[in-house]
Amino acid sequence: MARHWQLYLLLAPAVIYLIVFKYWPMYGVQIAFRNYNPIDGFMGSEWVGLEHISRFLHSFQFSRVFVNTIAINVLGLVFGFPVPIVLALLINQLGSRRLKSFIQTVLFSPAFISTVVVVGMLFVLLSPRSGLVNNVISLAGGTPVSFMNEEGWFRPIYVLSDIWQNAGFSMIIYLAALAGIDPSLHEAARVDGANRWQRLWHIDLPGIRPVILIMLILAVGNLLNIGFEKALLMQTDLNLGTSQIIQTYVYDVGLKSAQFSYSAAISLFNYVLNMILLLVFNQGAKRAGQTSLF
């Protein structure tokens, strides 16, 4: 350390950040196992063990918020995960650098739009009275649909808008992986008479398979995590049946109802499940001889 103190000095801000904002707050996780009272503090509050987690598991809200959370994430994984891979493979086949850069910019730009603006756009475009989508439906002889207030439309709108906003950002990772593939492989394949589809299937896809597996493991590890802000902003009293997820439920019981211990227990339960999914899927990939996180 004395010899390379400059490197440790450069590393220090990141380590301090992790300690202050990631590890030290874990001290407060204990309120999930107590009847937390701000007056008595962490250590002075009554210890109740797993009572709050048991209460959540036996509550009538559990099945609804758990199913809603799983359903949205599974739909996002099934329909959203392949999109950036396909986009990266298609863009990589383009010969013109200018066209490639232009398409990348267009696809990447929605990631810079804030969640509040995206949800505002959805409400404007899908408005039953003045929305563009409903105007097209009316011109076609159909009946306007209140998309944002119907339970059946919440999941498709959430997933599709999320794909539109984030697919371009994820695409960059796969484009970087494709850039690392040895060009001589494609040259040899051309000499052997392979067309673009064959080169894509036998060179590009195998070349980025480790990255795909790592991203898939991380996605499975976040299967119970959903963007809280977007779900909350899209939530209305009429679509609550499908829009109430674990994160918004924690917000309701934790901040609105001031049930701090109960909401902390729900969050802890959620993160523990995510960790279990991550470990199980990572171990499955390792046993199958595929790329894994560790």
Side-chain angles (χ1 to χ4, degrees):
M1 291 181 66
R3 180 181 300 178
H4 303 290
W5 65 270
Q6 299 96 334
L7 298 178
Y8 287 99
L9 184 64
L10 289 172
L11 186 64
V15 174
I16 293 172
Y17 169 81
L18 289 174
I19 293 173
V20 173
F21 293 102
K22 301 297 182 181
Y23 287 97
W24 177 249
M26 293 175 68
Y27 170 75
V29 171
Q30 63 179 295
I31 71 173
F33 307 101
R34 298 179 180 271
N35 276 329
Y36 177 67
N37 186 337
I39 297 175
D40 298 328
F42 289 157
M43 303 305 296
S45 300
E46 178 190 5
W47 181 271
V48 295
L50 300 176
E51 178 181 322
H52 298 300
I53 295 178
S54 177
R55 174 186 165 193
F56 174 59
L57 294 176
H58 291 90
S59 68
F60 74 96
Q61 292 277 11
F62 171 73
S63 59
R64 182 174 73 165
V65 298
F66 189 79
V67 169
N68 288 343
T69 307
I70 287 291
I72 293 173
N73 271 321
V74 168
L75 288 172
L77 189 63
V78 171
F79 295 101
F81 185 79
V83 172
I85 301 173
V86 174
L87 291 176
L89 291 172
L90 293 176
I91 290 176
N92 191 59
Q93 295 296 318
L94 296 176
S96 173
R97 289 188 177 181
R98 289 186 178 181
L99 180 60
K100 185 183 296 186
S101 299
F102 173 75
I103 295 176
Q104 287 182 37
T105 303
V106 171
L107 294 175
F108 186 68
S109 56
F112 294 98
I113 304 175
S114 70
T115 304
V116 176
V117 175
V118 170
V119 176
M121 292 167 59
L122 290 175
F123 273 99
V124 171
L125 291 173
L126 301 176
S127 171
R129 293 185 178 181
S130 58
L132 176 63
V133 175
N134 275 305
N135 284 336
V136 173
I137 293 175
S138 298
L139 290 174
T143 303
V145 180
S146 184
F147 291 100
M148 302 302 290
N149 289 320
E150 292 192 7
E151 294 183 355
W153 281 105
F154 178 83
R155 292 170 186 168
I157 293 172
Y158 186 99
V159 172
L160 290 174
S161 61
D162 199 61
I163 293 173
W164 171 77
Q165 187 178 13
N166 298 315
F169 184 84
S170 300
M171 174 192 68
I172 302 298
I173 299 173
Y174 299 109
L175 282 174
L178 287 167
I181 296 176
D182 190 352
S184 62
L185 296 175
H186 286 277
E187 294 174 2
R190 289 193 192 97
V191 172
D192 291 337
N195 55 35
R196 286 191 174 187
W197 169 255
Q198 291 172 327
R199 287 187 282 116
L200 183 149
W201 186 258
H202 295 287
I203 299 176
D204 289 340
L205 268 179
I208 63 173
R209 184 173 61 184
V211 178
I212 293 175
L213 289 173
I214 292 295
M215 296 299 291
L216 182 60
I217 292 171
L218 292 174
V220 172
N222 284 294
L223 197 61
L224 293 175
N225 283 340
I226 299 179
F228 160 77
E229 299 88 351
K230 187 175 180 180
L232 183 66
L233 292 169
M234 290 179 61
Q235 195 174 87
T236 65
D237 292 336
L238 297 177
N239 66 15
L240 205 59
T242 53
S243 65
Q244 185 73 297
I245 58 175
I246 292 177
Q247 287 74 18
T248 57
Y249 183 64
V250 168
Y251 169 77
D252 287 340
V253 299
L255 294 182
K256 291 184 177 180
S257 302
Q259 301 181 54
F260 303 115
S261 293
Y262 184 49
S263 61
I266 298 172
S267 294
L268 182 61
F269 169 79
N270 183 51
Y271 287 117
V272 169
L273 279 183
N274 277 327
M275 181 175 290
I276 292 172
L277 287 172
L278 176 64
L279 294 175
V280 169
F281 199 84
N282 183 77
Q283 189 63 26
K286 184 184 293 186
R287 288 189 176 182
Q290 302 296 328
T291 304
S292 60
L293 287 172
F294 46 83

